Amino acid sequence: MTHNDLEHLVNDGEANHVRFEFYLYRKIAGMIESGKVYVSESERNKRLEDDLIPADVWEKEKSSLIEKTGVARLSNSIEHALADLESLSLRKRNTEARSHDLIACIFGNGANYGLHRLASSSDRSIGILRAVNDSYIRPETTGAANDLISNALARLPIFRHYTINESAPFGSIDGQKHACRINTFKTRYSAKYFRKGKGVSAMTLVSNHVPLNTTVISANEYEGHYAFDLLYNNSSDIQPKSLATDNHGTNNVNFAVLDIFGYQFSPKVKDTSI
């Protein structure tokens, strides 16, 4: 509690209980938002450790737990995907990043934990994670790795059972809002999604529950401008021929452009009243 805060909370040696209660709530909310305190009963604000196996159980049953995950079956596919994450630095082109560090960077960014939180709760070094993240994690490499994973999923026998129409596979595009801890060129205010903070929108093309292509836009940009680009620039083996968007992606231009290029535009109309 700072001296300036104390002036508003205490008057003539007596604490103002109403102000102090409000002050306490604001402090707790700020500490939760900044990650200084955690709430174990909250799915959003609990610690990373709350989702992990207890340390004593892990030490005793480590081998059996790893075997049950089937990680050995996935190791080859993961190694192939990580191989597409080439280093950006020509001087360090011959230096290969450890797979554990690459996976840590992908998990830290993908789960929105951040490298600092991940390093503080694991045996990974923040310096190494930063170097690997700056050299290997970028749109070109993650896109190529995502194509490998998408193509592997498409070859699974169960994949075709999710296809609604095999002659015109179905895909959809929508934006998911993400709050940002730092300011970037694309971060924008949006009281609806971020309250007083800033964030971005991740536009993703999905088909049969597989994310095929994505782009990051500002939260206040019109999603319909990016529908055709995501579909046309999809480089995976899964090629949707019918596309759906919500009202925010529907306009006359998309109807015309998608029809010219041989796609069927099937927007989801929220309100059909005239």
Side-chain angles (χ1 to χ4, degrees):
M1 184 181 298
T2 64
H3 180 71
N4 292 334
D5 294 338
L6 196 62
E7 293 179 354
H8 300 282
L9 299 175
V10 179
N11 187 17
D12 296 333
E14 294 290 334
N16 188 315
H17 300 289
V18 176
R19 290 184 179 180
F20 184 78
E21 182 181 5
F22 181 75
Y23 174 82
L24 183 61
Y25 291 150
R26 287 194 58 187
K27 278 290 186 180
I28 294 175
M31 294 178 73
I32 291 176
E33 288 291 336
S34 62
K36 294 180 179 179
V37 297
Y38 303 97
V39 183
S40 298
E41 292 77 14
S42 170
E43 287 295 328
R44 178 180 178 183
N45 300 308
K46 63 183 179 181
R47 302 175 303 167
L48 173 62
E49 291 83 355
D50 292 332
D51 286 327
L52 302 179
I53 298 172
D56 56 339
V57 177
W58 173 254
E59 292 296 333
K60 294 178 181 179
E61 306 176 14
K62 181 177 180 179
S63 300
S64 61
L65 290 173
I66 293 177
E67 185 178 355
K68 290 179 181 178
T69 61
V71 68
R73 297 168 55 191
L74 298 175
S75 60
N76 291 335
S77 299
I78 293 175
E79 291 297 331
H80 285 305
L82 294 179
D84 268 19
L85 301 178
E86 298 178 352
S87 175
L88 185 63
S89 174
L90 294 176
R91 183 172 59 87
K92 298 180 180 180
R93 181 62 60 86
N94 295 327
T95 303
E96 295 184 359
R98 294 177 58 187
S99 59
H100 294 303
D101 294 321
L102 280 172
I103 293 175
C105 290
I106 294 171
F107 176 78
N109 291 316
N112 206 25
Y113 278 114
L115 300 183
H116 282 278
R117 288 182 63 185
L118 192 67
S120 63
S121 59
S122 68
D123 59 349
R124 302 290 99 185
S125 167
I126 182 60
I128 294 177
L129 291 183
R130 277 181 175 175
V132 170
N133 187 75
D134 293 341
S135 298
Y136 291 86
I137 307 300
R138 58 190 189 276
E140 296 81 6
T141 57
T142 54
N146 187 75
D147 285 346
L148 282 176
I149 297 172
S150 299
N151 297 341
L153 291 173
R155 292 192 295 269
L156 295 176
I158 196 175
F159 181 80
R160 62 184 180 86
H161 295 289
Y162 287 95
T163 304
I164 299 176
N165 184 358
E166 293 187 1
S167 61
F170 187 80
S172 64
I173 291 177
D174 199 6
Q176 185 177 9
K177 305 300 187 291
H178 297 276
C180 295
R181 294 185 296 273
I182 59 176
N183 288 328
T184 66
F185 180 75
K186 293 186 178 182
T187 54
R188 294 292 187 274
Y189 287 107
S190 177
K192 179 180 179 181
Y193 298 105
F194 315 121
R195 292 184 290 180
K196 295 183 179 180
K198 287 184 176 182
V200 295
S201 177
M203 290 282 296
T204 306
L205 168 65
V206 179
S207 180
N208 288 9
H209 305 287
V210 180
L212 306 177
N213 198 7
T214 188
T215 186
V216 177
I217 65 175
S218 298
N220 59 350
E221 288 190 82
Y222 180 53
E223 295 179 357
H225 293 162
Y226 299 89
F228 174 74
D229 288 340
L230 285 174
L231 185 61
Y232 187 76
N233 293 314
N234 169 32
S235 55
S236 70
D237 293 342
I238 306 173
Q239 294 292 328
K241 295 299 180 182
S242 180
L243 180 68
T245 66
D246 56 12
N247 286 352
H248 205 214
T250 305
N251 56 44
N252 292 334
V253 174
N254 280 341
F255 274 104
V257 172
L258 291 171
D259 183 69
I260 291 173
F261 282 85
Y263 299 106
Q264 179 182 343
F265 189 37
S266 307
K268 296 175 284 186
V269 181
K270 184 177 181 180
D271 188 5
T272 57
S273 60
I274 299 177

